[in-house]
Short mmCIF file of all heavy atoms in Angstrom, two decimals:
data_model
loop_
_atom_site.label_atom_id
_atom_site.label_comp_id
_atom_site.label_asym_id
_atom_site.label_seq_id
_atom_site.Cartn_x
_atom_site.Cartn_y
_atom_site.Cartn_z
N VAL Y 338 4.00 18.71 -1.88
CA VAL Y 338 2.73 18.88 -1.17
C VAL Y 338 1.62 18.90 -2.21
O VAL Y 338 1.62 19.75 -3.11
CB VAL Y 338 2.70 20.19 -0.35
CG1 VAL Y 338 1.36 20.35 0.36
CG2 VAL Y 338 3.85 20.21 0.65
N ALA Y 339 0.70 17.95 -2.09
CA ALA Y 339 -0.47 17.91 -2.97
C ALA Y 339 -1.69 18.39 -2.20
O ALA Y 339 -1.90 18.00 -1.04
CB ALA Y 339 -0.71 16.49 -3.49
N LEU Y 340 -2.48 19.25 -2.83
CA LEU Y 340 -3.65 19.86 -2.17
C LEU Y 340 -4.91 19.46 -2.92
O LEU Y 340 -5.15 19.94 -4.04
CB LEU Y 340 -3.49 21.39 -2.15
CG LEU Y 340 -4.69 22.20 -1.65
CD1 LEU Y 340 -5.03 21.85 -0.22
CD2 LEU Y 340 -4.39 23.70 -1.78
N VAL Y 341 -5.71 18.58 -2.32
CA VAL Y 341 -6.97 18.13 -2.92
C VAL Y 341 -8.08 19.06 -2.43
O VAL Y 341 -8.34 19.14 -1.23
CB VAL Y 341 -7.29 16.67 -2.55
CG1 VAL Y 341 -8.62 16.25 -3.16
CG2 VAL Y 341 -6.18 15.75 -3.02
N THR Y 342 -8.71 19.78 -3.35
CA THR Y 342 -9.77 20.71 -2.99
C THR Y 342 -11.04 20.37 -3.74
O THR Y 342 -11.01 19.79 -4.81
CB THR Y 342 -9.37 22.16 -3.32
OG1 THR Y 342 -9.17 22.27 -4.73
CG2 THR Y 342 -8.11 22.57 -2.59
N GLY Y 343 -12.16 20.75 -3.16
CA GLY Y 343 -13.45 20.49 -3.79
C GLY Y 343 -14.58 20.78 -2.84
O GLY Y 343 -14.37 21.01 -1.64
N PRO Y 344 -15.82 20.78 -3.35
CA PRO Y 344 -16.97 21.10 -2.50
C PRO Y 344 -17.23 20.03 -1.46
O PRO Y 344 -16.72 18.90 -1.55
CB PRO Y 344 -18.13 21.18 -3.51
CG PRO Y 344 -17.67 20.37 -4.68
CD PRO Y 344 -16.20 20.53 -4.75
N ALA Y 345 -18.05 20.37 -0.49
CA ALA Y 345 -18.41 19.43 0.56
C ALA Y 345 -19.09 18.21 -0.05
O ALA Y 345 -19.94 18.32 -0.93
CB ALA Y 345 -19.37 20.10 1.55
N GLY Y 346 -18.68 17.02 0.42
CA GLY Y 346 -19.32 15.79 -0.03
C GLY Y 346 -18.85 15.26 -1.35
O GLY Y 346 -19.41 14.29 -1.87
N VAL Y 347 -17.80 15.86 -1.94
CA VAL Y 347 -17.36 15.41 -3.26
C VAL Y 347 -16.43 14.21 -3.21
O VAL Y 347 -16.13 13.60 -4.22
CB VAL Y 347 -16.70 16.59 -4.01
CG1 VAL Y 347 -15.24 16.78 -3.57
CG2 VAL Y 347 -16.78 16.40 -5.52
N GLY Y 348 -15.94 13.85 -1.99
CA GLY Y 348 -15.11 12.66 -1.86
C GLY Y 348 -13.62 12.94 -1.75
O GLY Y 348 -12.80 12.11 -2.13
N LYS Y 349 -13.25 14.09 -1.17
CA LYS Y 349 -11.83 14.42 -1.04
C LYS Y 349 -11.13 13.44 -0.10
O LYS Y 349 -10.04 12.95 -0.41
CB LYS Y 349 -11.68 15.85 -0.51
CG LYS Y 349 -12.29 16.91 -1.40
CD LYS Y 349 -12.15 18.30 -0.83
CE LYS Y 349 -12.95 18.49 0.44
NZ LYS Y 349 -14.41 18.36 0.25
N THR Y 350 -11.74 13.16 1.06
CA THR Y 350 -11.12 12.23 2.01
C THR Y 350 -11.02 10.83 1.42
O THR Y 350 -9.99 10.15 1.58
CB THR Y 350 -11.95 12.20 3.31
OG1 THR Y 350 -12.00 13.52 3.85
CG2 THR Y 350 -11.32 11.25 4.32
N ALA Y 351 -12.07 10.41 0.72
CA ALA Y 351 -12.05 9.08 0.10
C ALA Y 351 -10.92 8.98 -0.92
O ALA Y 351 -10.20 7.97 -0.97
CB ALA Y 351 -13.40 8.80 -0.58
N LEU Y 352 -10.73 10.02 -1.72
CA LEU Y 352 -9.64 10.01 -2.70
C LEU Y 352 -8.29 9.96 -2.00
O LEU Y 352 -7.40 9.18 -2.39
CB LEU Y 352 -9.73 11.26 -3.58
CG LEU Y 352 -8.56 11.45 -4.56
CD1 LEU Y 352 -8.68 10.47 -5.72
CD2 LEU Y 352 -8.50 12.88 -5.08
#
Side-chain angles (χ1 to χ4, degrees):
V338 179
L340 173 60
V341 179
T342 62
V347 81
K349 300 179 293 296
T350 301
L352 174 74

